[in-house]
Amino acid sequence: MHWREREHEAAYEAVAADPAAMATLTQCGLVKFFLCPFMRAQPRLLNALVEYWHPDAEAFMIEGQSLTPTTEDIYFLTGLSRRGETVDLHTFPTGERKVEELIAEYCVAGTNTRTSWIPVNNIINIRLQTILSLIGRITGSTAHHQATRAHLNCALRCLDGQIFDWSTTLLEAMRRQLTDCRERTHRNFGFGTILCSFFFERVPCFSPRMTVRGHLASFPAVCRWAALLPRQGGGRTVESFNDDFFAWLSRQIPMIEDYPYAGIDFSRDPEMPVPPGEALGEIGKSPLLLFFCLHMLFLCLFEIYIILLGDRVF
């Protein structure tokens, strides 16, 4: 199985230095994901993790324990929105114009129009080009330099400030790739950084055995792991997880972390806008935590009532 993540460092640096482009990514809720770096390729670890995937259950089975990735995992790992319209790019409207018409309008002069794909690198508008590259990352595409009409139509809506539920989109795409890789129908995997970070957060014995800085309140969890295992350029692979690590891992009793994202809070982060008509303050709130708070409030009110009732009786 191959670790397939593509990045365009020069283009990303230009966007990061462009306030208007960053404002556009903030407006459509993609700026945090844009700032998430890629991790150094770890193909041996990736192969080991995929072997835990059970397609029928759509969950990882680890020593009899079931671990199911959720939109909350994707949300806290990447900073992608889980509000708004869910995106299925297989059924997303393509628009009425043909590919050659779209290429003529959005790409540099002289771009080949005899194709069924839109070349992302030839798009004139750097904001639109960046959004298309991010959509390629979200869908786990191994060909970020190409886009379909549906991709472009979706990116244009993002350019206008549309907020989508990208967490669900990424999760469903990652599940499909996990199943394809597990069943050996596909060998390319486009979510290596996210999958490894997911295991590092949810099953701590898989994480690198070194001290890692804790979470920052509005910082996607992927960033701290990618900073620990940074890309070195040139597509080079460095095996941080060697024979010694797997020998050590075989002696461990894996435990699943129930509260991996404690301390992360995007609920009032200005870089995490919400769709029109929706309120801030609800993103990332745990139903169990809310129930616990309400339960404690009820107990406090009940205690006050008992005290007041006792005063009246005596």
Side-chain angles (χ1 to χ4, degrees):
M1 189 165 29
H2 305 294
W3 182 293
R4 293 285 186 258
E5 290 181 326
R6 302 285 186 248
E7 57 187 332
H8 308 280
E9 293 181 2
Y12 274 34
E13 289 176 2
V15 173
D18 186 337
M22 294 300 288
T24 297
L25 294 178
T26 298
Q27 185 181 16
C28 66
L30 287 172
V31 70
K32 284 192 178 298
F33 189 63
F34 168 79
L35 294 172
C36 286
F38 286 113
M39 185 183 296
R40 182 191 303 152
Q42 302 293 333
R44 184 175 179 184
L45 178 63
L46 175 63
N47 278 271
L49 298 182
V50 171
E51 287 299 312
Y52 289 109
W53 180 252
H54 282 234
D56 293 337
E58 291 197 326
F60 297 98
M61 300 302 297
I62 307 168
E63 300 294 331
Q65 303 175 79
S66 175
L67 177 60
T68 303
T70 67
T71 55
E72 183 175 76
D73 291 303
I74 303 303
Y75 171 75
F76 283 115
L77 285 169
T78 66
L80 284 171
S81 173
R82 57 175 179 162
R83 290 179 176 270
E85 176 186 341
T86 301
V87 182
D88 183 347
L89 288 167
H90 294 96
T91 61
F92 201 87
T94 59
E96 297 180 355
R97 288 180 293 177
K98 297 180 180 179
V99 170
E100 55 265 29
E101 295 174 328
L102 295 171
I103 291 176
E105 179 174 354
Y106 293 105
C107 295
V108 297
T111 301
N112 179 22
T113 58
R114 296 180 180 180
T115 175
S116 58
W117 296 86
I118 300 163
V120 174
N121 293 341
N122 286 2
I123 289 179
I124 301 170
N125 188 320
I126 192 171
R127 294 175 296 163
L128 182 60
Q129 182 187 100
T130 302
I131 291 172
L132 278 170
S133 294
L134 291 174
I135 290 175
R137 287 182 61 183
I138 291 168
T139 57
S141 172
T142 57
H144 291 182
H145 60 286
Q146 295 179 326
T148 65
R149 288 191 297 163
H151 285 106
L152 181 60
N153 193 25
C154 183
L156 289 170
R157 289 176 62 178
C158 291
L159 197 63
D160 291 334
Q162 179 73 44
I163 297 170
F164 292 105
D165 176 7
W166 289 116
S167 287
T168 298
T169 303
L170 192 152
L171 178 60
E172 292 178 352
M174 188 170 73
R175 283 172 175 165
R176 285 195 297 269
Q177 282 198 12
L178 281 167
T179 296
D180 290 343
C181 290
R182 188 69 176 83
E183 295 179 345
R184 306 295 191 269
T185 60
H186 194 63
R187 296 190 65 186
N188 295 324
F189 192 74
F191 300 100
T193 297
I194 295 173
L195 181 63
C196 288
S197 297
F198 169 75
F199 265 82
F200 295 164
E201 294 287 337
R202 297 302 307 274
V203 193
C205 69
F206 281 93
S207 65
R209 289 175 289 162
M210 58 187 71
T211 302
V212 182
R213 184 178 62 181
H215 293 303
L216 298 178
S218 58
F219 208 54
V222 159
C223 294
R224 67 176 189 158
W225 298 112
L228 185 66
L229 301 167
R231 293 291 275 269
Q232 296 184 325
R236 286 182 292 174
T237 297
V238 179
E239 289 287 1
S240 300
F241 299 87
N242 52 27
D243 291 339
D244 290 340
F245 172 81
F246 285 103
W248 171 85
L249 184 65
S250 66
R251 299 191 297 270
Q252 307 308 305
I253 301 176
M255 299 299 294
I256 294 175
E257 174 61 61
D258 292 327
Y259 304 101
Y261 312 112
I264 297 182
D265 182 14
F266 297 150
S267 62
R268 295 192 178 276
D269 192 328
E271 293 182 347
M272 293 291 288
V274 296
E278 294 193 32
L280 287 168
E282 297 178 1
I283 305 176
K285 302 297 185 183
S286 168
L288 291 176
L289 179 60
L290 178 60
F291 175 79
F292 174 77
C293 292
L294 291 175
H295 177 68
M296 295 303 295
L297 177 61
F298 172 78
L299 290 179
C300 290
L301 292 175
F302 182 73
E303 289 287 341
I304 293 172
Y305 172 76
I306 293 298
I307 292 172
L308 292 176
L309 182 63
D311 290 342
R312 289 180 182 177
V313 171
F314 298 102

